[in-house]
Every structure is written in C-alpha cells, then in structure tokens.
Amino acid sequence: MAQRDGRSRLVLWMRTVAGQVFLLQATIVVLLVVVALVTLVLHSRADSEREARNRSVAVAETLAAAPGLEAALQSPDPTAVLQPRAETARKRSDVDFVVVMNTEGVRYTHPLRDRIGKKFVGDIEPALKGRLLTEKVDGTIGPLVQAVAPVKDRDGKVVGLVSAGVTIDHVSSHVEDQLPVLLGSAAGVLLLTTTGTALVSRRLRRQTHGLGPTEMARMYEHHDAVLHSVREGVLIVSGDGRVLLANDEARRLLSLPRDVEGQPVTALGLSAPTARLLASGEEASDQVVPIGDRLLAVNQRTTEQAGGPPGSVATLRDTTELRALTGRANVARGRLKLLYDAGTEIGTTLDVTRTCEELTEFAAGRFADYATVDLVETVLRGEEPTSTGAGEDMRRTALSGPEKTALYPLGHTVHFAASTPMDSGLGRGAAVLDTDLAAYSGWQRQDPARAEELVAHGMHSMIAVPLRARGVILGMAMFWRAGGYEPFEEEDLSLAEELVARAAVSIDNARRYSREHTMAVTLQRSLLPRTLPAQDALDVAYRYRPAQAGLGGLGGVGGDWFDIIPLPGARVALVVGDVVGHGLHAAATMGRLRTAVHNFSSLDLPPDELLWHLDELVTRIDLDEGGESGDLAVTGATCIYAIYDPVAGRCTIARAGHLQPVAVHPDGRAETLDVPGGPPLGLGGMPFETLELPLAEGSRLVLYTDGLVENRSEDIDERLELLRRTLQRYAASTPEDTCEQVLRTMVPQQPRDDIALLVGRTRVLGPDQVAQWDVPADPAEVRQLRAAVVAKLGEWGLDEEAVTTELILSELVTNAIRYAEGPIQVRLIRDRELICEVSDHSSTSPHLRQAATTDEGGRGLFLVAQFAERWGTRYTATGKVIWTEQPLPAAARTVGPR
C-alpha cells in the first residue's frame, strides 16, 4: 500500500513542471555521458593508430641515423652487429619489431631469428628513393603500422633500410588501462549533474507551486490577459534602470514605443523627475507626477523584498479627473475650515470695534486682499439701529490689507449713495457681487475719483455684504480682490454671506454688551465717590479699576467700593468694601452698603460697632431679598473701616473678612497690619475687634480689595509680599504716584476682577491748632475757662468767634458739671472749622428739647444748636464727648499739616 502510494506520488510529481524538467534534464545528462564514452573510445582508437605511426617513425628514423649503422651494413656479418642493437632499440622503444635490411629488402635483423635473411614484407620503393614510408598493414602479428626509413651514406646514397612497426592492439592496451578511470569519471559527472538537476527541479517546483504545464500555460494566459487589459499601467524596471516589461496601459500613459523592453528609463523621453523616480526604485505611494496633460499617481515597490531580483515594479493610475474632483472637494473643505476658523477667531471679545477688526484681519488674510467694515453710528454708541441701514451714516470701523489704498480710511463717515448697488443691497438686506470693477457697473457712483484710483491700483472684484442681526442692519462689510487673487465668483458670495452673518451676531452681542456695560458702569460710578471731601487729616488718593469686559461678569462691573468720610473732631474714616459677584445686583448692593456706612458714621460709632451694625443690616437684606433660592443674597461682602485722629495721631481699624491693610512708615518701612479678623458681612454670630495704633506724621495707610493681589497663576502670599515691596520701594512718592506705581506693578492689562485702592498720608494737628483744659467740677471755674478760651481765640485771630464760643462752652461745661461724673475736659481744635469738645465720664447723652416761655431752664442746648453749625455726642470707652462745629472765615482756616 505504501509502495503504491509512493508510486502514485511519484507519478503525480512527474506530471508537474518540476518533475518533467527533472526527467528531461536527467535524460539529457545520461545521453551526454553515453555520447562522451563512445566518443572517447573512438577517439582513443584514432589516437592508438596515430601513436603507433609516430612511434614506428621515430624508432626507424632514429636507428637509420644512428652512427656506425653504415659501417655495420658493409661489415662481413651485418646480422651479428645489428641484431643486438635492433633488439635493444625495440625493447626500449616498446615497438613490436625493428628490422634492418639491405636495399633489396633482405632482412638483417628481426625479433624472430627464423625471419632473418628473408625478404621484407612491404613496399620499400619510396624508401629506396630516399623518402620515409609509413603504412598500415595486416602482418603476421596482426594489424600494425610500420615505417621504413632509408640509411644514407655520406654522399646521400641509400645503402640500407630500417623498418620499425607497432601493432595497434599493443598501443590500445594502454588506453584500455585508463578506461575504468574514464568510466568512473563519467559516473561521477552523471551523479553530479543528476543531483544538480534534482536541486534545480526542486527549486523550480517551489517556484511553480507544483503546477503542471497546463496550469502554467493557463496561468500565463490569464496573467498576460490581466496585465494587458487592466486599467492601471504596470512597469517593471531592472536593477540597472532598464525596462523589463511595460503593459499596454503603461505604454499609453507614458507614450512608450512598442520595443521599449531593454531600453533605459532615462532614454524614454520622460520628464527628469519622473525618469529619476522610476529608475531609482525608491518606494512611492500615490505620488502624483505630471505626464503631458495627465496627472499620474505612481505606486512603486522594490522586487528585492522577498528575495527577488534587483529592480522595481511601478503601477501608474490616471488621476486627472479624480484630481479635478478632489480639487473641488478640497475647495469645499477649505471653505468649511475657513468658516470654522472664523468662528474661533472672530468675536473673541465683547468689544464692537475689536470684533470688526478681527473680521477684516481674518478675511484680508484668507479670503480677500482687502476688507473693510462700516458700522451705523448708533451701533457704535451701543444704541439700537433702525430696521434697514439704507440712507444711514456709517463710520469706517475696521480696515485691513497689505498696503495703503484709495479706500476710505478709518474713522471716515460713509454714506452710500442711493444709486449704488451697495445702497440697494442694504435696503434689501442682500449681498452684492461685482466680478469686474473695471466695467464700472454702478459702484463707482459712490466716489468716481476714488473708484478710478482703486481700479488703477489693481482692484478687480468686490463683494459687499450687509451686517444683519436680529432683523436689523448694523453696517456693511466689503471684500476686495486685487491682482493677487482670482476674481470673486458666485460661490464666493455664499461664503462671504456666511462669514459676515457669523460676525454680525458677534458684533450685535458686543453692542448689546457695551450698552449694558455702560449702564452698569454708570450706575456704579454714580454710587462711588465722585470727589474727595474737604478734610485736613489725610492726604488721600484713590483708584478704581473695573474688570475687563467679558472677563469678570456682566460688563466687568463688580461690587468693590471705597469711601472717605469726615468725622467730628477733625477725624476721617477710610472705608473699602467688596461685594462678591459682578453685575448690576453687586453694584446696587454696594451702593446700599455705602449708604449704610455713611448713616452709621453719622452716629460716630467705633469701627467694631459700625461693622456689627453693618453685619446686622446685611443679614436683614438677605432675609428680605434672598428668597428661597438665595440668588440675591449678598453673603460674602467684606469691609474694612479705619478712623484716623490727626490730633492724637492714632488710627483705629476693624475688618470684616477683608484683607489686611498695609502701613508705610515715614522711614520707608512697609508693614502689613495685623488687624483682628472678623467674618464676612451677613454671617453674624461673631464679634468684631479693633486694632489701635499710632501713625506718625507722613505715614501711609493703604487699603485695597482682593482684585489687586489675587492672581490665578500666583500664590496669594507672594502677591501680598509683592505689594508690600512695591509700597516700600515707592515710600517717598506722593499718594497719587503710589497708586499709579502699585497699579502698574500689580495689575495686568486685562484685570479679571475690579480693584479699589485707597492710599492716605497722615497729617498731625500741632499745638498751635489744639488747646485743651481740665475743668474741676465747680461752677465757679466756668468763668476762668471762658477767659482762657477767649485768650486762645485771640491768639488764633478768632476774636469774632469769642462771644459765640463763650456761650457754647458755658452751656456745655455747666451741663457737664451739673449732670455728669468724673473729670471734665475741654478741647478747642482749629481746623477748617472751630471745634469745641467737652468730655466727661458719663454715658448719659443730652437731648435737645423745646422749652416753653414760662420755663426757667431747658434752653441751653437749644442755644447751642442755634449758634453752632453742627453738634453731636460721641461715646468713648470712658464716657462721652459733646462736640460742636463753628464755621470759620476762609482766611482763618488752616490747611495741611503744621
């Protein structure tokens, strides 16, 4: 069974191309070996006859010319002399006989002694004539070749003959001795060639995958049919750059001749880049090369990757039509990308002018050579425009282009004439396309002189698109192309409309935002101090910076605020607060808190008590207006309140969730004050504490909001330290310069939060402006006090105020002696007003009442209120102070420090 299977496999293998090639090659090798052997045998026989002739001739001639042969022939017994010599020569030369004879052919020598004396068998006539004779004869010892050479004397006369002969069998025996070697060599050659044939057949079998001749022929036919009918050109190039194969499509695409095979690629008349690519064998994937009016996509791979021969295979595909389709697709894709990029690059800010600039900058770089935007005047003011822009005055808001042209400059008022296509487009809200400006189809009526300049400059086409948003016209965007671009087409019109439509929405949003921002800023500005109040305690400077529009909420308007409030006794209160959030609600809340601080300050409360009342107010506001959702709650408001007394040179500070203030001392040292912290306003439940510290004259007290020091990319402690170093660096500057330097150092170009900064430089009222007396609790001392006061007023040049001051102090001191407790002190302060203060240790406050005509008392405070400009009561830790203020003439006022 195994033998049968092996025979079957052998038969199947012999039917393959490899098997048949192997059988053919093996047969050829065997035939070649047989022919070689036959040829060798035949050749050996011819060689034997030639060898016999050569050997017999050589022996015969040599012996015939031997010395002494002539003498031996003439001797009485030639046989006795010549026989030994002949036998020796025969044996040494390996011939069958050597015969010496006379001219008559009688033998003198012979291997067989019975043949001596007999007649020589053969033709001796040529030898007798002096010529060498060789002949093949059948002798008694078999077929042989013999030679007859003449023996000549000195005169050239033939005196004898010498014959030598060799049988052919004698010579062939030497060849037959070499026959085994020859047969073995032939067998070796046969084995070697058979093995080589088997190896070649095995490789062929691998290469043909065991296919038979029929399959190979069919495969070749199919391959040939596919190769020449496929729509792609196929070009096979050898490693030395010569064409091995080119199908019909390749010949057509490359315009190749029929006999192109074998020619170098560089000699086919192709362009240098194409020929270099095909001859190099470098890999290429869909590389487009121009061939005449065609665009061919070339894919090229090397044939050496799988162990093949050096060379490359290139496929060629005509992509001319596909390229055109791809070009249109690329144009569409480019326009989509243009609109996408426009959405990301136009409208990045809520600024009308900047949005227009972004539109022109974007369009002038990618869509047109020049771009302009003209906006209706009302839009620039943030107002609502009319329904149509026809007949409206517009202002050139943005202009972009590579160089200056005759186009209207920025800021120019544009009024489109009624007879122009632009005005008609505005009325219809439709875009206008002019593909040939040089034809002057009506657009030139806007400004004929400028139109000629524009055409002379190279302008050849234009698109005008109304800026429309929410059904109203905001302005007109115009795009111009000069020599660097192809003229606008109908397809460009829709792209321009889409581009302008997106920009119009951004412009309208910016306009509406600008209006709301203006309203919010106006409200906020109205709620902040407009001027500094008149006071001599502090030299004050302030700065307020709203957040950049779009970065800090609605209009950038926030709840930061500040105030400078003069207090009785020449004192001044500095306030800085911050309502968390932005927008109108924050601004309104800020205004309410500022009003509340003013009202609480009129009560002359200490800083901690004022913050406590303010905290209660914020809590009530939250309860009344916060609602269930709490959207209007103001929790998170912070405040810092400081009172500076220029007479004592001391400052009292309290804060509610606010940042610590900074004090810059006269020696230039900046110090962050450690004011006890309190919770933000509106939380309630925790008391506020105060910090009281002396401030030398010339010190600076710096209050600010968190927008000055907070930065997302830096730590708050680093920013606070930067503020302290900045204040220390500019310690010698005025408050105004200090504000400028701090803002320049601390605030970015576009702050994300609003900023309030307040800098106050302290002043101190000297002894020449303050007078103080201790009054015993004795009514008799009032007279002495009046005298001392009148004398002091005389020193100050205020004699006219003496009578009024005497009356006021008499009433206040008398009431203190009568109703108060402890020591009584009287102080006069000469500032912008004449201030009288009477202090005691009683917490009972007098109140003004209307006395009847029959009452004997009760008119003291009424008189005080009549003669004083203002009066009031201020409570201290040890009691109270009743104060009055009297106006002074301008010449008697003191301004500034002593």
Side-chain angles (χ1 to χ4, degrees):
M1 185 67 181
Q3 184 178 3
R4 184 183 304 168
D5 293 341
R7 189 181 302 112
S8 300
R9 285 196 296 270
L10 179 61
V11 171
L12 291 175
W13 179 70
M14 293 301 295
R15 293 178 59 185
T16 64
V17 173
Q20 294 179 11
V21 170
F22 172 75
L23 181 61
L24 177 61
Q25 290 180 341
T27 303
I28 292 174
V29 170
V30 171
L31 290 176
L32 289 176
V33 171
V34 171
V35 171
L37 289 175
V38 173
T39 303
L40 180 62
V41 171
L42 296 175
H43 187 67
S44 65
R45 290 192 177 186
D47 288 345
S48 298
E49 185 176 345
R50 189 183 304 109
E51 177 66 20
R53 181 178 286 107
N54 292 337
R55 193 180 299 178
S56 61
V57 169
V59 173
E61 286 183 342
T62 302
L63 189 58
L69 183 61
E70 181 183 353
L73 288 174
Q74 296 176 359
S75 66
D77 190 2
T79 299
V81 178
L82 297 174
Q83 181 67 16
R85 292 183 181 181
E87 286 298 310
T88 301
R90 180 184 67 81
K91 293 177 180 179
R92 289 184 177 181
S93 61
D94 196 19
V95 296
D96 288 317
F97 66 89
V98 175
V99 176
V100 181
M101 68 189 82
N102 58 19
T103 56
E104 295 178 357
V106 178
R107 301 185 182 106
Y108 290 139
T109 64
H110 196 281
L112 301 176
R113 297 189 71 85
D114 59 348
R115 306 278 180 94
I116 297 174
K118 294 181 178 180
K119 189 93 169 161
F120 177 75
V121 180
D123 186 12
I124 61 173
E125 289 298 326
L128 292 175
K129 296 178 180 179
R131 300 196 303 271
L132 177 67
L133 172 67
T134 60
E135 60 179 342
K136 181 179 178 182
V137 298
D138 289 331
T140 59
I141 59 176
L144 57 86
V145 176
Q146 62 183 9
V148 180
V151 179
K152 299 178 180 179
D153 59 7
R154 294 178 179 177
D155 297 329
K157 180 181 178 182
V158 176
V159 295
L161 301 172
V162 177
S163 176
V166 180
T167 61
I168 294 177
D169 292 340
H170 180 73
V171 178
S172 298
S173 63
H174 295 286
V175 177
E176 292 173 357
D177 293 339
Q178 298 177 356
L179 189 58
V181 177
L182 294 176
L183 292 175
S185 300
V189 172
L190 178 60
L191 179 61
L192 182 61
T193 54
T194 304
T195 304
T197 301
L199 293 176
V200 173
S201 300
R202 182 179 179 184
R203 182 175 180 182
L204 181 60
R205 183 175 60 185
R206 287 200 308 269
Q207 292 179 344
T208 60
H209 301 284
L211 298 176
T214 305
E215 289 83 356
M216 289 289 292
R218 186 181 300 112
M219 183 180 67
Y220 174 78
E221 293 173 355
H222 293 169
H223 171 268
D224 189 69
V226 172
L227 184 65
H228 292 284
S229 63
V230 71
R231 287 293 304 275
E232 290 192 358
V234 179
L235 190 70
I236 302 177
V237 182
S238 63
D240 58 356
R242 294 182 177 273
V243 178
L244 297 179
L245 183 146
N247 69 345
D248 297 341
E249 186 67 9
R251 297 174 193 271
R252 184 184 70 83
L253 294 176
L254 299 178
S255 301
L256 300 178
R258 301 300 301 177
D259 56 345
V260 70
E261 282 78 5
Q263 296 186 24
V265 175
T266 55
L268 299 180
L270 303 175
S271 62
T274 305
R276 184 166 55 252
L277 172 64
L278 296 176
S280 66
E282 298 177 354
E283 291 193 1
S285 297
D286 289 333
Q287 182 171 340
V288 178
V289 296
I291 302 294
D293 57 349
R294 297 189 182 97
L295 292 175
L296 303 184
V298 179
N299 289 276
Q300 185 166 266
R301 296 292 183 272
T302 178
T303 58
E304 302 179 39
Q305 294 179 349
S312 60
V313 178
T315 60
L316 312 172
R317 186 174 68 256
D318 191 350
T319 62
T320 306
E321 296 181 0
L322 180 61
R323 192 75 172 180
L325 293 175
T326 304
R328 289 193 290 270
N330 288 338
V331 170
R333 184 164 54 251
R335 290 178 174 176
L336 289 176
K337 186 178 185 305
L338 185 70
L339 292 176
Y340 174 79
D341 292 342
T344 59
E345 298 182 24
I346 300 175
T348 59
T349 64
L350 290 174
D351 182 81
V352 173
T353 302
R354 181 54 194 157
T355 303
C356 295
E357 292 173 349
E358 290 173 346
L359 172 59
T360 58
E361 292 169 1
F362 180 87
R366 306 186 191 184
F367 180 65
D369 284 327
Y370 297 87
T372 62
V373 173
D374 306 317
L375 291 184
V376 179
E377 293 280 0
T378 54
V379 174
L380 290 173
R381 294 194 298 267
E383 302 173 6
E384 287 286 345
T386 58
S387 58
T388 64
E392 293 282 343
D393 285 338
M394 299 185 184
R395 186 172 300 279
R396 180 133 298 175
T397 310
L399 167 63
S400 295
E403 59 186 11
K404 187 176 181 181
T405 64
L407 293 171
Y408 290 129
L410 288 176
H412 184 82
T413 300
V414 180
H415 185 91
F416 291 106
S419 59
T420 60
M422 291 80 77
D423 185 74
S424 175
L426 283 173
R428 294 179 290 108
V432 176
L433 169 64
D434 194 326
T435 59
D436 186 9
L437 296 179
Y440 296 110
S441 57
W443 68 278
Q444 78 281 358
R445 299 191 191 98
Q446 178 68 28
D447 193 331
R450 286 183 182 271
E452 293 181 0
E453 292 183 22
L454 290 175
V455 173
H457 185 76
M459 299 287 189
H460 53 66
S461 57
M462 174 269 293
I463 293 179
V465 185
L467 284 159
R468 168 182 280 185
R470 298 183 301 107
V472 296
I473 301 299
L474 308 178
M476 175 75 81
M478 302 183 71
F479 308 100
W480 308 79
R481 282 186 180 177
Y485 273 92
E486 293 294 327
F488 284 118
E489 302 175 351
E490 288 293 336
E491 295 180 354
D492 296 319
L493 189 62
S494 59
L495 178 61
E497 289 176 332
E498 181 67 23
L499 186 65
V500 171
R502 298 191 179 195
V505 174
S506 299
I507 293 174
D508 188 57
N509 289 339
R511 177 194 64 79
R512 299 174 65 186
Y513 173 83
S514 298
R515 182 182 61 182
E516 295 180 6
H517 175 260
T518 302
M519 293 172 57
V521 169
T522 302
L523 172 63
Q524 187 181 38
R525 294 291 186 186
S526 66
L527 298 176
L528 290 174
R530 297 186 179 182
T531 59
L532 293 176
Q535 50 84 29
D536 294 330
L538 292 170
D539 183 7
V540 181
Y542 66 90
R543 292 292 186 276
Y544 175 78
R545 291 284 180 85
Q548 178 67 23
L551 298 178
L554 179 61
V557 175
D560 289 16
W561 59 283
F562 65 93
D563 213 339
I564 302 108
I565 306 173
L567 297 177
R571 296 170 304 139
V572 174
L574 300 180
V575 192
V576 171
D578 184 4
V579 177
V580 176
H582 295 84
L584 295 176
H585 176 66
T589 303
M590 174 269 292
R592 299 175 70 176
L593 294 182
R594 179 171 176 252
T595 302
V597 170
H598 265 277
N599 293 334
F600 292 142
S601 297
S602 65
L603 301 177
D604 209 352
L605 299 175
D608 54 341
E609 292 187 23
L610 184 142
L611 291 182
W612 182 83
H613 286 288
L614 196 61
D615 179 70
E616 289 289 322
L617 174 64
V618 172
T619 301
R620 288 196 301 271
I621 293 176
D622 286 345
L623 292 176
D624 295 340
E625 299 184 359
E628 296 182 358
S629 62
D631 293 338
L632 300 179
V634 295
T635 301
T638 65
C639 182
I640 185 169
Y641 187 86
I643 297 177
Y644 175 68
D645 186 352
V647 178
R650 300 188 67 81
C651 184
T652 305
I653 310 173
R655 65 188 181 99
H658 206 82
L659 294 172
Q660 299 278 21
V662 179
V664 183
H665 300 284
D667 59 0
R669 178 174 54 88
E671 175 188 7
T672 301
L673 302 179
D674 188 15
V675 179
L681 300 175
L683 297 182
M686 295 182 64
F688 298 96
E689 301 180 18
T690 61
L691 171 68
E692 186 173 352
L693 74 159
L695 288 178
E697 186 174 7
S699 299
R700 288 167 176 77
L701 184 63
V702 181
L703 308 181
Y704 54 91
T705 57
D706 55 2
L708 182 67
V709 294
E710 286 186 352
N711 191 311
R712 296 181 180 180
S713 60
E714 297 182 54
D715 185 74
I716 183 65
D717 293 333
E718 296 177 358
R719 297 283 295 174
L720 290 172
E721 178 61 21
L722 176 60
L723 173 62
R724 191 192 66 79
R725 292 197 305 268
T726 303
L727 292 171
Q728 190 165 289
R729 184 182 308 118
Y730 300 103
S733 302
T734 64
E736 287 288 340
D737 292 340
T738 300
C739 289
E740 288 297 325
Q741 297 297 339
V742 168
L743 292 181
R744 185 179 296 111
T745 304
M746 303 290 296
V747 181
Q749 291 293 332
Q750 297 180 344
R752 293 182 173 273
D753 195 6
D754 43 351
I755 299 167
L757 174 64
L758 196 59
V759 178
R761 183 172 58 187
T762 61
R763 296 171 177 174
V764 176
L765 301 182
D768 57 340
Q769 294 178 269
V770 180
Q772 184 172 310
W773 299 272
D774 292 327
V775 181
D778 184 359
E781 298 294 331
V782 176
R783 181 181 299 176
Q784 297 180 6
L785 173 64
R786 288 200 302 267
V789 169
V790 170
K792 176 58 68 174
L793 292 177
E795 295 178 10
W796 289 349
L798 301 177
D799 296 325
E800 296 180 359
E801 307 297 326
V803 176
T804 304
T805 304
E806 278 188 276
L807 176 61
I808 291 174
L809 286 178
S810 296
E811 288 296 330
L812 295 180
V813 173
T814 301
N815 285 341
I817 293 174
R818 182 178 302 176
Y819 302 109
E821 300 176 357
I824 301 172
Q825 192 175 65
V826 175
R827 185 170 66 173
L828 286 181
I829 301 175
R830 181 191 175 197
D831 192 29
R832 291 180 176 271
E833 297 86 10
L834 179 61
I835 302 171
C836 301
E837 294 182 346
V838 178
S839 59
D840 56 51
H841 286 199
S842 173
S843 59
T844 302
S845 175
H847 61 278
L848 180 65
R849 66 185 183 89
Q850 195 75 27
T853 55
T854 57
D855 291 341
E856 295 182 359
R859 294 182 175 85
L861 286 180
F862 179 77
L863 293 176
V864 170
Q866 291 296 319
F867 289 106
E869 186 177 38
R870 291 195 311 156
W871 75 280
T873 303
R874 178 173 75 253
Y875 293 94
T876 65
T878 58
K880 67 179 184 295
V881 176
I882 301 177
W883 55 270
T884 64
E885 291 182 0
Q886 301 169 239
L888 294 177
R893 297 176 184 173
T894 61
V895 180
R898 59 183 173 84

